[in-house]
Structure formats: C-alpha cells, structure tokens
Amino acid sequence: MLSWFTKNEVNEEIYSQDKNVKCQIILDSGRISYAVYKNEKLVIKPSSLGFLIYGEKPLGENLKLIRSQRKKHQEIVELPWGENKYIDNNYVESAYYFAEKKYPNRIFTLRVRVFNNAVAFRYEIPPQPKFSQITIKDELTEFNIPLNTVAWKIPAYQPDRYEYNYEKSTVYDIKKSVHTPLTLKTPNGVYVAIHEAALYNYGAMTLKLNEKNILKSDITPLSDNTKAHIQLPFQTPWRLIMLADSAIELTTNQVMYVLNDPPAQDFSWVKTLKFIGIWWAMYVGEWTWAPGDRHGATTEHAKEYIDAAVRLGVSGVLIEGWNDGWEGDWLDNGINNKFTVATPDFDLEEVARYAKIRDIEIVGHHETVGFIDNYEKQIEQAYNYYAAKNVHYIKSGYASSKMLINGRREYHHSQFGVNHYQRTIELAAKKHICLDIHEPIKGTGIERTWPNLLTREGARGQEYEGGALSPSHACYLPYTRLLAGGMDYTSGIFDIENSVKRLATTLARQLAYFVTIYSGMQMAADRPFIYEKRFPDVFRFIADVPTSFSKTIPLAGEVGEYYIVARQDRDSNDWYIGGITDEFSRRINLHLDFLSEGTYEADIYSDSDEAHYRDNPFGILITKKRVERTNTLDLYIAPGGGFAIKLKKL
Ligand code: NOJ
Ligand code: CA
C-alpha cells in the first residue's frame, strides 16, 4: 500500500561523526546502490545491492522506500582481553526500510553505519507471507573500486584454506575469488580493507570481479551449489569497508569487534595463556604424533614439559598426539580419531593431576582432519572428558582440503563450516573451555561475543618454515590477516638452523612476533631444551611479554615491508615494542613519545650489525638502558630480522 511518506527516489548522504567518511545511498529506478568517500575522495563508486533467491524473483529491484531512520551512537566498548581494553563504537546509523512496488511486495531493511574509519552495512530480512524459508543463489553486493587499485590477496577455495602467501596485484587481476580481509590501496591513496563482521549461519564472503568487471561478493557455496539455506528473520553479516590514510593507520581498525554483540554469557573464567608444547619436536622429526619408539605424547614427556614450563615461567603445555587415531598417515586416517581414548603410553588422568599440582594448564588437542561426522559424534563426551580432568584449553584442527559430512564435502568457510565451528565455540563456552582453532573460518570479530575463542590460525604460520615462508610474509600479516583478529603463529622458534626445518628469520625476530602478531593464546613453539640450554637470556623476553594489552599503538610500517608496534601491558604500566622487516635491512629512529612521564628501564633485543636471516641468524644484541618519553632509540633491523623491547616503568 502506498503511503504519503513512500519515496521512489533517494539520494542521501550519511557522514561519520568527524565528517571524514561519507556513505551515499541511492534509490533510482527501483534499485539501490551505495558509494563511499573518504575526505570527499571517492573510494567506492556507486555499487549495487541485492540477492538472487531460488524459486523467487531477484530481491533488490522495483523498490520504494517506506521509511528511514537515522541515529547517532556513542559508546566505549570494553573487551575482556586483547590488543586494546577500550574501543570506540561511534557511528551514524541509517536504516532504510524498502518494499517492492509490485507483487510479491517483499520487504527488507538495509542498515548502514558510518564510522570515522569505516562503513558497514547489512541486509535484514523479516519473515513475511510465503517468504520464510529461502535459499540464497547469489548475494549481489558490489564493491565498485577502480580496477587499477592495488590489492594484496590470497586465493579462496584452495586446498590449504587460508594458508597462502600474499600476492601484490591489482583489482583488475581478481578474476578468481580471493579471501577477505582484502587490503587495497586506491589510485587516490586511500587504504581500504573489505571484510565482514559477525559471520553466522551463512557462507563466508569472498570477492571476485563479475562480468561487468566490478568487484562483487562471492558467497562460499555449499556442496548443493547453493550459497545458504536460511530461515527468516535473517540478517546477513555486516559488509565492512575499513578506511585509512596510511597502511599503519589501517592496522588500528577494530570496528569489526563493535559490530558484534556483547558477550553472550558470563566469561569471567576466560584467561589468555602462554604455553609451550609437545609439538615442534614432531615437525623436526624427533618425535611422532603416532605411537611408537619416538612417540611425543607420553606421560613422561608431558611431565617433563610441565616441569620445563614451570622453570621457563609459562603457564601452559599443549600435548598433541595423545589420543588414539594417529597411526599411519594421519592426514588420511582422521576417521579413526577417538577423542576420549588415550594411547597406552599416555595417562591423561596422571598428567592432569601432575599439571594441577604444578599450577600448569594443559592445552588439549582435537585434530578432526575435517572428518566432521566423526567429530560431532564425539564432541560432547570429548569436551566433558577434558573438562572433568581440569583441561580448560583445546587446540582444535581441521587439516583437510574440505570437511567431510555424511559423504558430502563442504568448504571450511561454507555455511556448513561456519555453523560447525560455531557449535564448537558455544559448546566449549558451556563447559568453560577456551579454544585455539587451527584451519578455522576467518575471524569476523565474534570473539567479542564468544571471548572463549582465544585465538585461531587461519593463515600460513611457522609450520610452513623450511622453505615456504619468506621474511615478507609476517610483514603482510598485520595489514591483512590480522585485521580479522589474533593469530596463533607459533612464534619463538630458536632452533633456526635445524636441518629438517631451516627458518627464514633471525633470533631477535622470533621475539618480535610476540608483539607484532597478537594472540590470546601465545605459543612459545620450540622445544624447551633449546630455550633452557642454548638461549636462556633470550627466552627472558618471552617469559616477560604479556598475552593481553590495554593499549596498542602501531608506530610505522608498509604492507609487506615492515611493521613496528607498541603495546601496553593490561596489568601494569610496562610497554612492549616489536618490529620486523622483510628481506631488506632498516635503520629505525624510534620516538618514545607515546610513553607517559617518568623513567623506564629498557631491555632491548636487537639484531647485531652482522646478523642476517640467511647466514647469521643468531647475531643478537641484548642491552639495558634507562629511557624517557623525550628519548629516541636508534635501532638496526637486519635482513629478515626484527627487534623486541620491554620498557619497565620504574
Ligand atoms: C595443522 C596445525 O596447524 C598444526 O599446528 C598441528 O600440529 C597439525 N595440524 C596436526 O594437528
Ligand atoms: Ca595449519
């Protein structure tokens, strides 16, 4: 029914509170589009919106505006752990209620939020007569950005999920789907990252050029070739466009978190964790996951690692390969994994008892190898089994090209996968278990609602060392993958010249990772004897560095080249600084003006003048100095190197 406030044409501008970001909403000839400006520079040209739905007319045509509503929101959000304790949630929101002018007269809402550093919007579809259960054929959201925009991309739909090296190209080259966050630099110099927030019950958004050569959402399909089966009411994840004037400023963007709901329950029991683990010994071939002469997960080894954790001053021990099912090539045999049955040489009860006496947290392990039916059958008992033994942390894994469920093969980042991971997170929350998910779906800020999801992998980590990682990789992460949240990079490997896994790093750089790559669960990934026997004075930094910060200040960097960041400890006035570079050395003049008044004692771990990731990785200088906020530090970073600094307030 037409009413007097119905509009057939709209051309509205929504400005951010500081007026630097503008989103334009256009309704013309029954179709809606949006455009984005930063400092009045056009970033995203008018881009269409809408859906194709099976058995229905496309949604997004013949529209009229029934009503719109605008509001201003100002809030400071507190996060229980992470890179910052407080983040701003300041935006101007417009909600547009659209209806089709013709039969079937469906309605939906487009909700738009304009932040000082981002634009976000989502579709909200209420239930309506004969329109309640729908199957999405395609989401038509476009991001019409110039084709000569620089793009730093990793491919989607590949067997190794998100574990690829970043490649610098242009939007013109995005002929095949790429993952988000997709980081871009427009010809007029604006840094942009396209991503999504609050991904629930829907396929993850990838991006590729459509037939009109416009970048468009490509929702990860299910095995039945549809994009998502949904029950109305439904709201899509937020489509998020982060904006900045420099690469380093882009890394401060935390809008993704405030687009998520507040915590779903009481999470006061959640604690971030630093841990070592029965792990790298398997990668360098000393131990095995499977039982046998060199089995890693024995009761004896676990107790040794618990003792080492106490001596090293870390709070947790991960144990991989303790359960039945790792025999043979475990990548093929995941169907056999039994998550409540230990191998004969491993006594979880005894290990847990010992850990409790020594005040060490056990990090349990569930490698599903993507056999989801096998896992889902056992998951409830498996979580109960751990919870009963005081195990409150689980590292889970999905090392397979796709997930297997009832004979179907589904992408990890499909609607099916998204829902599976969510089930594990919610079940873990019920049992007071924290998760570190490997081979996960990408982060979309749901850690705000589910803070027991302490970290995830979701990018190439140090397990790819030994040939498949170059020093530039970790210099891409802060500008790309880490915009999606923390990552378990498995930092702190000191045995750099190991003949099985030779790392492309210097020693000081391994410390820098504990600051440059945030993770709510931070692994010191090497074997403890390497730390204790060879580098006890270097390990000091890892023992000191916190896993939760009150404030993060990115200081300098460029995508894929270098990155320097300072973070203040959550529980003290101490600061930590980390810096890394690609294969080129750098001299840095570090201003300490972010510190407060007073004197600090600086412990500096930096590359020596002769250090080099290729032929002199152990060249490290450890120095102590007193500094104040008026001082600058002159630092050298070797090729493939890095530095780490602890600033203790005196
Ligand atoms: C791949 C994970 O990334 C790694 O950390 C783990 O050790 C193996 N899968 C086995 O679960
Ligand atoms: Ca992995």
Side-chain angles (χ1 to χ4, degrees), residues 416-444:
F416 172 79
V418 167
N419 286 339
H420 168 74
Y421 291 113
Q422 191 57 30
R423 269 197 295 282
T424 70
I425 296 161
E426 294 185 18
L427 186 63
K430 251 195 230 161
K431 318 270 175 198
H432 288 202
I433 289 173
C434 296
L435 294 179
D436 169 0
I437 307 181
H438 276 234
E439 299 80 37
I441 182 62
K442 68 185 170 188
T444 59

Side-chain angles (χ1 to χ4, degrees), residues 163 438-439 457 463:
E163 298 174 1
H438 276 234
E439 299 80 37
E457 188 190 36
E463 65 193 24

Side-chain angles (χ1 to χ4, degrees), residues 58-114:
L59 187 63
E61 295 173 4
N62 291 312
L63 298 175
K64 63 188 176 192
L65 181 72
I66 299 296
R67 167 170 83 87
S68 71
Q69 209 170 25
R70 196 171 283 208
K71 71 173 190 196
K72 185 173 156 185
H73 184 87
Q74 272 186 311
E75 184 193 6
I76 295 173
V77 168
E78 183 179 336
L79 299 176
W81 52 264
E83 299 174 80
N84 289 290
K85 184 163 186 186
Y86 300 107
I87 45 182
D88 289 339
N89 186 17
N90 299 340
Y91 56 80
V92 176
E93 175 183 289
S94 267
Y96 299 92
Y97 299 84
F98 292 109
E100 288 172 318
K101 287 187 267 188
K102 296 189 190 154
Y103 183 81
N105 305 96
R106 293 166 302 181
I107 56 172
F108 74 94
T109 305
L110 179 72
R111 190 173 302 277
V112 186
R113 288 185 185 166
V114 182

Side-chain angles (χ1 to χ4, degrees), residues 442-460:
K442 68 185 170 188
T444 59
I446 63 166
E447 294 84 345
R448 183 182 174 206
T449 315
W450 304 98
N452 64 312
L453 173 53
L454 278 175
T455 193
R456 53 179 107 209
E457 188 190 36
R460 218 166 244 221

Side-chain angles (χ1 to χ4, degrees), residues 52-56 134-138 224-227:
L52 298 182
I53 299 166
Y54 279 96
E56 308 263 353
I134 62 174
T135 299
I136 304 290
K137 189 171 184 190
D138 200 6
D224 65 4
N225 245 326
T226 68
K227 304 287 189 175

Side-chain angles (χ1 to χ4, degrees), residues 502-515:
R502 170 64 161 92
L503 279 73
T505 179
T506 64
L507 188 55
R509 179 190 181 93
Q510 289 296 315
L511 304 182
Y513 288 153
F514 286 84
V515 193

